Amino acid sequence: MQEPLMHLSDHLTILPVLLPLVTGALLLLFDERRHALKAMINLAATLLLAGVALILMGRAAAPGAGAVTSVYQLGNWPAPSGIVLVLDRLSALMLVLTAALALAALVFGLARWSRAGPHYHTLFQLLLMGLDGAFLTGDLFNLFVFFEVLLAASYGLVLHGSGPFRVRAGLHYIVINLAGASLFLIGVSLIYGVTGTLNMADLAQRIPEVTGPQRTLLAAGGATLGIAFLVKAGMWPLSFWLPPAYTAASAPVAAMFVILTKVGFYIILRLSMLLFGPEAGGVAGLGDSWLIAGGIATIAFGAIGVLASQAMGQVAGFSILVSSGTLLAAIGLADPGVTAGALYYMVNSTLAIGAFFLLIELVERAQDPAADVLAVTMEAYGDDLDEDEPQADIGAAIPATLAILGACFVTCALLLAGLPPLSGFLAKFTLLAAMIERGSLPGGGISSLTWALIALLLLAGLSTLIAMMRAGVRSFWVPIEGTVPRVLVIEIAPVIFLLLLCLALTVEGGAVMGYMSEAARALHTPADYAHEVLSTLPGAAP
């Protein structure tokens, strides 16, 4: 049979991996004192990466696109023998989300953080390479490789800057993730020992045939692999490291790290549907009930942490846990409608929390370092301002900078709490409606765990609203120090950019949910994914 001819445009699938790799290597050739040149190269590469991601998403969303849009065979070797990169709707979505967050974090960091330590731009590009590779790879071995690349880059970025708190939290972050990587390797080894393959599509076809004691080893390998990514996703009780590490990191790094928790969600979702779905035989639905229970516990822990937080950085860190718990519980429900709602919720929460991390640094510039401590003391003991003292600020005009920061803060509060009319409300409403509809199907019923999940999602939104109102009052309504922060355009522009993307999710909610529904449908038909990957013939070079 004659091999089909590859077009140059077919090589776009590997560009999200190749482009940051080449850029990161190129940046090493320039001295650290050439900040402007390195920044321009980094920004140009990230913009190009965003363009490629949008093109790939357009292909995935094209009418008539199948479960898999593109199978890129490295070395022209077909699966399962060769290494393949697989593009579908879910991976294209993650590429675009990563590129959007990367652009915002990079531009924000150009103001000052990119010069706070060596090799910032190289580490940034290597992080993008690891992320994009993890979203595109079609086998577990290369998933481990890309996972290690993104972890290695994140180790350098989390320690970027100075201060004992950042170093201490960064070391905890490194130790925990090294332990998770070790579990990943153990789980992959067990799965390979039982099935003899690590290609995801091939695994989907071989796993139903595993029986007897081998099935027990397979389940152990799957559980070990799951724990490794649950650590990354931040499921309770494996999440104690996350709020301190993300709070201690610099603002652009913390914003970029929001997508790292979604790597764990992405891989658990992908493997749960593909390897342990309804057609997986004796290991079908492996860990689904644990994901629901763990997700509920994570939401509860995150909501309590948000409510107890006295600093905005802690509010953002615990908000990530609320988001992670919601997504993990949605995976456990294993319903296409719930999965579609979860994908919408994931995009909204990632953009909103990323914008909030960037905003926190700008807002806190107006406060004295001891302002938070003094504010807590005044709240606890009722020591308010002296009513006899003249209040010079009463009736004063609000400076434009504070007005812009306040508007961004209110928008973040609405998005994180899930209040109308923005996409946070639409995402949460869609998710809750899908859960209720799932229980109303013939022969179905809403379980007690699902009711608990619904109640906790509403309570978590209330907790976030209370915490954000409290932080907003301290920062904008009755500030201890009346200093107006100095904010550069390249610092506030990324925050506005991310919030505008959330507004676009609101305005184009119908089209976005249509894309998410198609992505969820493809995830819940793993046989189509496996067939298209394994049946793709090698393509001849042009």
Side-chain angles (χ1 to χ4, degrees), residues 92-411:
L93 173 66
M94 300 306 294
L95 291 178
V96 172
L97 185 59
T98 301
L101 207 57
L103 273 176
L106 176 58
V107 172
F108 187 96
L110 293 180
R112 67 186 186 98
W113 280 111
S114 62
R115 298 185 294 273
H119 304 303
Y120 175 85
H121 296 290
T122 297
L123 291 172
F124 192 89
Q125 286 295 317
L126 292 179
L127 180 68
L128 291 181
M129 174 201 168
L131 286 167
D132 291 346
F135 296 141
L136 285 172
T137 186
D139 64 90
L140 293 181
F141 175 78
N142 286 284
L143 177 61
F144 176 77
V145 172
F146 288 120
F147 191 66
E148 287 299 302
V149 170
L150 73 89
L151 284 182
S154 70
Y155 297 156
L157 289 173
V158 76
L159 295 172
H160 186 76
S162 60
F165 179 54
R166 179 169 296 142
V167 173
R168 182 169 61 252
L171 290 177
H172 292 167
Y173 170 85
I174 293 172
V175 170
I176 293 298
N177 281 279
L178 285 176
S182 299
L183 290 174
F184 185 4
L185 191 58
I186 294 171
V188 167
S189 301
L190 287 172
I191 292 175
Y192 181 75
V194 172
T195 61
T197 184
L198 290 178
N199 182 275
M200 296 180 190
D202 200 25
L203 281 169
Q205 293 190 348
R206 294 194 187 192
I207 283 178
E209 302 172 358
V210 178
T211 57
Q214 298 294 315
R215 182 185 296 170
T216 304
L217 286 175
L218 177 64
T224 306
L225 194 63
I227 292 173
F229 291 111
L230 289 176
V231 170
K232 197 62 188 170
M235 190 181 84
W236 185 88
L238 308 172
S239 57
F240 62 91
W241 60 273
L242 193 149
Y246 282 45
T247 304
S250 64
V253 172
M256 197 63 209
F257 276 16
V258 177
I259 196 69
L260 295 190
T261 59
K262 303 307 182 285
V263 174
F265 161 74
Y266 167 85
I267 296 172
I268 292 172
L269 175 62
R270 174 76 73 187
L271 298 185
S272 295
M273 298 297 110
L274 191 58
L275 307 187
F276 305 108
E279 302 173 0
V283 291
L286 179 68
D288 283 352
S289 58
W290 287 101
L291 286 175
I292 298 174
I296 290 173
T298 306
I299 296 172
F301 178 70
I304 294 171
V306 165
L307 203 56
S309 298
Q310 299 298 334
M312 285 190 286
Q314 293 176 338
V315 173
F318 282 103
S319 295
I320 293 178
L321 297 185
V322 174
S323 172
S324 294
T326 304
L327 296 174
L328 293 174
I331 296 175
L333 292 174
D335 178 78
V338 176
T339 301
L343 293 177
Y344 192 5
Y345 177 88
M346 176 201 66
V347 175
N348 170 80
S349 63
T350 302
L351 296 175
I353 298 175
F356 189 43
F357 268 121
L358 298 179
L359 183 65
I360 288 171
E361 178 177 312
L362 305 182
V363 172
E364 290 183 342
R365 287 181 188 173
Q367 299 177 359
D368 185 86
D372 285 338
V373 177
L374 182 56
V376 174
T377 303
M378 292 170 58
E379 183 180 274
Y381 294 100
D383 186 12
D384 207 346
L385 295 172
D386 190 349
E387 296 180 358
D388 295 331
E389 293 184 2
Q391 304 298 318
D393 291 337
I394 293 178
I398 301 175
T401 300
L402 286 180
I404 295 173
L405 294 178
C408 292
F409 183 88
V410 171
T411 305

